[in-house]
Amino acid sequence: MSFNINLNSSIVSVEWLHENRNADNLIVLDGTINKVFDITLEQIPNARLFDIKKKFSDVSNPFPSAFPSAEQFQREARNLGINQDSILVVYDDKGIYSSARVWWLFKAFGFDNVAVLNGGFPAWKKVGFDTELMQNYDGEKGDFVANLQSGYMQFFQDTHYASQHKTHKIIDARSTGRFNCEVPEPRAGLRMGTIPNSVNLPFTDLLDDGVLKSKKDLAKAFYMVAEQDEPIIFSCGSGLTACVLALGAEISGYKNISVYDGSWTEYGALTTGDMENPKTWTKDELLAYILLYVSNSDLYESRREQKYILSRVDKHVYKRVSGQFEIDNDYQALHNIIEGVKAHDYFRNDLVDLFADIKLMAFADGEYNSMEQMIYTHLKKILKD
């Protein structure tokens, strides 16, 4: 028997989806991040892969999962057979993670008939509902129309202005350890740090084993960080889990909410940190500081050494770092180098390039004197150990 359904919530249970799985206007989307087509993988029956990374992101943007154009989003949504009268339910394989990003993208393009599957694929399997092996969608194209809505997505200039002038409450969904610069960022080369004037609400605080908490518990979590009438910008690492906060906020009755698309990956790359806190330095700032330390081992920085450093980092970075280096004593300089290397996780990655830069800088003035050799050996020992 054919029938259509309506949505009255941004979140649906696995029981609701199972009950309505045969509705004519229902489309189930698998929004698992980084998932590729693989016939050995399981999915909810008739699910269609929503490829965030390759199909629904601006791949020309240097930052991950960047907001696509309306033209791209409309084209790819139509390729999945999505129509204007479709009802969409989105899930992922972690519970609620990247599925919230898919939900928010559709809302940003003017489509409200979309909901997140509470608990995602793990919850579906937990209750024993049927699955199937992954299939490619090869049906008819849809008539979906992307109608970009203002205010849903914020970008660097918007967020930077909001941070400086405190026009919005900025809420960061990253873990407390990352927000407080206690653990390195998982993205290689990205400095630790926090958007100024932001507060922390880890997205995991809204979940119990991948399932969204009760409306009462969600409202309590948000009450601790923002008033309902405040304009809010949600941020995270790369714009995914900020959408989990947006989902929880909407369910809790918050209206004036938005998501910073580039989040900390973009903000941390485009801004400088606190020069007195090496954990927040960019990788270029750390490199400049280390090279300055080596070049000044004989208490003199030659023009050739300076020229080499400027060939490796921007002159503004050099000037900023030089100012800090001049006021640090030798003990502070070593401490800063060690902390900076830890922050950028050189212990997990390759130190070869860093030491090659140090040696090339030392040779820049045509000689590799005994002091430079000693500093090089000393740095190699303490950084490797």
Side-chain angles (χ1 to χ4, degrees), residues 35 42 51 115 180 205 228 246 274 364 376:
K35 190 171 185 179
E42 290 181 299
D51 190 340
N180 291 334
D205 285 3
Q228 276 206 345
D274 174 8
Y376 175 83

Side-chain angles (χ1 to χ4, degrees), residues 29 41 82 96 101 146 159 229 285 302 316 338 364:
L29 298 176
L41 298 177
I82 297 172
I96 296 180
R101 172 75 177 189
T159 307
D229 58 351
E285 287 168 340
S302 72
H316 299 293
I338 292 169

Side-chain angles (χ1 to χ4, degrees), residues 101-135:
R101 172 75 177 189
V102 181
W103 166 80
W104 191 251
L105 284 173
F106 274 102
K107 292 181 70 68
F109 284 112
F111 190 85
D112 290 324
N113 292 326
V114 57
V116 172
L117 182 63
N118 203 6
F121 195 53
W124 180 269
K125 291 190 68 176
K126 186 175 182 179
V127 295
F129 291 145
D130 289 344
T131 63
E132 66 180 11
L133 294 178
M134 198 172 181
Q135 299 178 24

Side-chain angles (χ1 to χ4, degrees), residues 136-365:
N136 257 331
Y137 175 73
D138 59 0
E140 294 182 357
K141 289 187 177 182
D143 62 12
F144 174 83
V145 176
N147 183 15
L148 180 63
Q149 305 295 297
S150 64
Y152 275 77
M153 302 300 295
Q154 304 285 353
F155 301 95
F156 175 76
Q157 293 298 339
D158 308 313
T159 307
H160 191 52
Y161 182 90
S163 169
Q164 289 183 316
H165 298 278
K166 300 182 181 180
T167 58
H168 292 66
K169 177 62 69 68
I170 302 173
I171 304 178
D172 193 320
R174 291 177 298 164
S175 69
T176 300
R178 289 169 67 188
F179 183 81
N180 291 334
C181 302
E182 295 167 348
V183 297
E185 285 295 310
R187 186 175 176 85
L190 179 61
R191 70 181 179 90
M192 295 182 187
T194 301
I195 298 173
N197 298 313
S198 62
V199 297
N200 185 215
L201 176 58
F203 82 96
T204 51
D205 285 3
L206 306 188
L207 305 172
D208 278 328
D209 196 23
V211 176
L212 206 63
K213 291 182 178 179
S214 69
K215 187 174 180 179
K216 180 180 178 181
D217 287 339
L218 294 177
K220 183 178 179 180
F222 284 104
Y223 174 78
M224 299 303 293
V225 292
E227 300 295 332
Q228 276 206 345
D229 58 351
E230 279 187 282
I232 298 172
I233 298 174
F234 293 114
S235 179
C236 58
S238 60
L240 293 180
T241 58
C243 298
V244 178
L245 293 190
L247 176 65
E250 183 183 270
I251 292 171
S252 301
Y254 288 75
K255 303 296 184 184
N256 195 356
I257 59 178
S258 57
V259 168
Y260 174 23
D261 187 50
S263 287
W264 179 250
T265 297
E266 179 181 60
Y267 200 93
L270 298 183
T271 59
T272 186
D274 174 8
M275 290 312 300
E276 293 185 0
N277 182 2
K279 289 181 179 180
T280 70
W281 292 355
T282 65
K283 210 163 189 178
D284 278 353
E285 287 168 340
L286 173 60
L287 176 60
Y289 195 93
I290 293 173
L291 296 181
L292 277 166
Y293 180 76
V294 176
S295 69
N296 283 271
S297 60
D298 55 1
L299 305 181
Y300 172 73
E301 180 185 333
S302 72
R303 284 182 177 273
R304 288 183 177 178
E305 288 172 331
Q306 184 185 80
K307 186 178 180 180
Y308 179 78
I309 299 173
L310 287 169
S311 75
R312 299 293 290 116
V313 300
D314 181 83
K315 64 180 180 180
H316 299 293
V317 171
Y318 174 78
K319 184 177 180 180
R320 187 163 58 245
V321 173
S322 294
Q324 182 63 40
F325 182 79
E326 287 174 4
I327 64 176
D328 290 337
N329 60 36
D330 193 60
Y331 172 80
Q332 290 170 324
L334 273 177
H335 172 77
N336 288 344
I337 291 170
I338 292 169
E339 288 299 304
V341 168
K342 285 181 181 178
H344 282 291
D345 218 4
Y346 277 104
F347 297 112
R348 205 171 50 184
N349 301 313
D350 197 356
L351 285 164
V352 172
D353 289 342
L354 177 61
F355 289 125
D357 260 317
I358 294 172
K359 186 166 282 189
L360 284 170
M361 201 283 311
F363 276 112
D365 57 2

